[in-house]
Amino acid sequence: MEKVNFSRSAITLEEEVREIIGQPHELIVKKSIPFLDEHCKKMISVSPIFFLATANGEGKCDVSPRGDLPGTISILNKHQLVIPDRPGNRRLDSIINILSNPNVGLVFLIPGLEEVLRINGRATIIKDEKILDKMSLKGKTPLLGIGIDVEECYIHCPRALKESNIWNTSTWQKSEDLPLILEVFNDHLKINGVELKK
């Protein structure tokens, strides 16, 4: 199929979108709070996985899944939290983006719960040993942390997770029907001219 020229039917103004979709209910607007209350703190403390959205100075976006033991995110106070940057593949997509654009979004998931917690704020890459030492895992202290100044928190309705049946194991694909990740990895390397020796 040929590439579609999206600009032919593009909507470029919020007024146009609102004319089609309408306005949110007052309760939806007012559920957003500018700090971490006890409910937000509890949700963060029991969440083993979240997604971190960043963009660089040019606006190019990235979303990174972050998994850790529940309770390893440090909540400093009702306005700030710190995410440990655990060893990974060293791409540093999120870190590099934050250096040029501090605006971030986070979505926290809790297994079995269909609502998610969304947090928006501004991030700073930190190397404060006093903070990072408290975030050690298996005897290893993170080299860096991502400090978040919280600007907005709210729970997101359960529709996406409910409709996807994500927590219902009976709907999961059989392992033999799933993509072979090593095959995907090797094929993507080939597209970039790299072929691993067998």
Side-chain angles (χ1 to χ4, degrees):
M1 181 179 178
E2 292 182 17
K3 283 183 75 174
V4 174
N5 181 358
F6 290 127
S7 65
R8 284 188 303 208
S9 61
I11 292 176
T12 57
L13 298 171
E14 181 178 343
E15 290 78 10
E16 292 180 81
V17 178
R18 290 297 179 194
E19 194 174 313
I20 297 168
I21 305 298
Q23 297 291 336
H25 191 282
E26 181 186 20
L27 298 180
I28 299 300
V29 175
K30 298 227 171 141
K31 70 178 180 177
S32 171
I33 60 173
F35 60 88
L36 300 167
D37 70 350
E38 293 309 309
H39 299 298
C40 294
K41 290 176 183 178
K42 175 69 173 174
M43 291 181 81
I44 293 168
S45 73
V46 298
S47 171
I49 187 166
F50 66 95
F51 295 85
L52 173 64
T54 61
N56 66 16
E58 298 173 356
K60 291 183 180 178
C61 299
D62 179 73
V63 177
S64 171
R66 301 281 176 132
D68 217 329
L69 292 174
T72 52
I73 289 178
S74 180
I75 299 172
L76 303 181
N77 51 61
K78 68 179 185 177
H79 296 290
Q80 295 176 307
L81 57 86
V82 178
I83 301 162
D85 191 59
R86 306 287 184 204
N89 58 19
R90 298 185 184 151
R91 278 184 58 108
L92 302 178
D93 297 310
S94 302
I95 300 285
I96 301 302
N97 283 350
I98 289 168
L99 293 176
S100 61
N101 178 356
N103 297 295
V104 297
L106 303 95
V107 173
F108 289 89
L109 277 74
I110 299 168
L113 188 66
E114 290 171 335
E115 288 80 2
V116 300
L117 174 66
R118 293 176 61 172
I119 293 178
N120 297 316
R122 293 174 68 81
T124 304
I125 308 306
I126 64 167
K127 55 179 182 177
D128 186 318
E129 291 180 10
K130 198 172 179 183
I131 293 174
L132 298 177
D133 281 346
K134 295 177 184 173
M135 307 173 85
S136 292
L137 182 66
K138 297 177 183 174
K140 292 187 177 178
T141 300
L143 299 176
L144 299 172
I146 302 172
I148 308 288
D149 285 295
V150 174
E151 296 176 341
E152 181 180 36
C153 309
Y154 57 97
I155 52 170
H156 193 94
C157 75
R159 186 179 184 281
L161 272 65
K162 187 187 287 281
E163 294 298 321
S164 69
N165 262 321
I166 191 168
W167 304 129
N168 182 356
T169 58
S170 69
T171 67
W172 293 2
Q173 298 287 324
K174 295 176 183 172
S175 58
E176 58 267 25
D177 295 332
L178 295 174
L180 297 172
I181 299 305
L182 187 58
E183 188 177 300
V184 175
F185 180 69
N186 286 334
D187 286 349
H188 287 185
L189 286 176
K190 285 179 190 174
I191 290 171
N192 287 308
V194 177
E195 191 149 0
L196 297 178
K197 294 178 182 177
K198 293 182 181 178

